[in-house]
Amino acid sequence: EVDEAHYLSKTIRDLHAAKEKGGFEVTEISVGNLDVSVCEEILISLLSIDPSPASSRLAEICHKRTDGNVFHLLSYLTMLQEENLLQFHLGMFKWTWNCDRIEEETAASSNVVDLILAKIAKQPQEMKYFLQLVSCLGSSFEKDVVLCALPQMRDSTACECDMNELEDEVDELISLAIHERFLESQSDLRFCWVHDSIQEAALKQRFSESEIDTFKFKLGNALLQSLTEEDVENNVFDIVNLLTSIDECPEEDRATLLGLCLKAAK
């Protein structure tokens, strides 16, 4: 599941544009959500178990919580294991679970976004802030952009901030986010969300909708003030999206925003 700005989406569009000249066909296969029976087949395969009433009930719970989304199903199972609701019993040499306990423990979470929010809530404060910040940068982001934005968002100047220490901190946060399966690496300097539902959960934490818009506007200004002119042009769409998140742009920023919108429109 990727948005229109993702590299995969762009590659598919490029293939469609080139197929007539290249003399090849592009076949797209739409994959919908899984039904309960397929969820059970996946559980049976992953856990190396035989079909049983217990596996059927676990599949029903998983399907109810994930709506049959494959990524959400795997994330849900991972969460169950991390919370010791799904355990491998060494003595019996098999996976064990208690469906009543699973339903009770996850009753407050109607979907996987709620579960991811709960997982994010357990992270250190610095990680929660970092995830919320990069969630505003789209489906992927450059580490250098984060390094420019963080001092401004913390109301500290680049001169007051030791850039080596800041880079070490950002590297540590990115490593932890990858370990926790929030992010994945696209290159040494570029990272993306493992799934858009994680980005959605990271954005929603702590703030109301109006507070999120204010946070985005502040981030847009931080990028505008800290990035080089070339980097501003390279990230103009993201910056414009951030600056237009509030209902009414302050009068002193309107001329700058208009200039950016003109650049984005070219």
Side-chain angles (χ1 to χ4, degrees), residues 4 17 23 37 40 57 86 88 90 96-97 128 132-133 160 185 187 232 237 239 256:
E4 290 300 311
S37 62
E40 184 174 10
R57 188 177 173 197
L86 178 66
F88 189 77
L90 289 174
T96 61
W97 63 90
K128 288 189 282 188
Q132 188 156 50
L133 188 148
E160 296 169 346
S185 173
S187 69
V232 167
F237 291 105
I239 294 173
T256 300

Side-chain angles (χ1 to χ4, degrees), residues 189-200:
L189 296 175
R190 190 169 189 86
F191 305 88
C192 65
W193 295 95
V194 170
H195 194 272
D196 56 3
S197 60
I198 302 176
Q199 181 188 3
E200 178 188 351

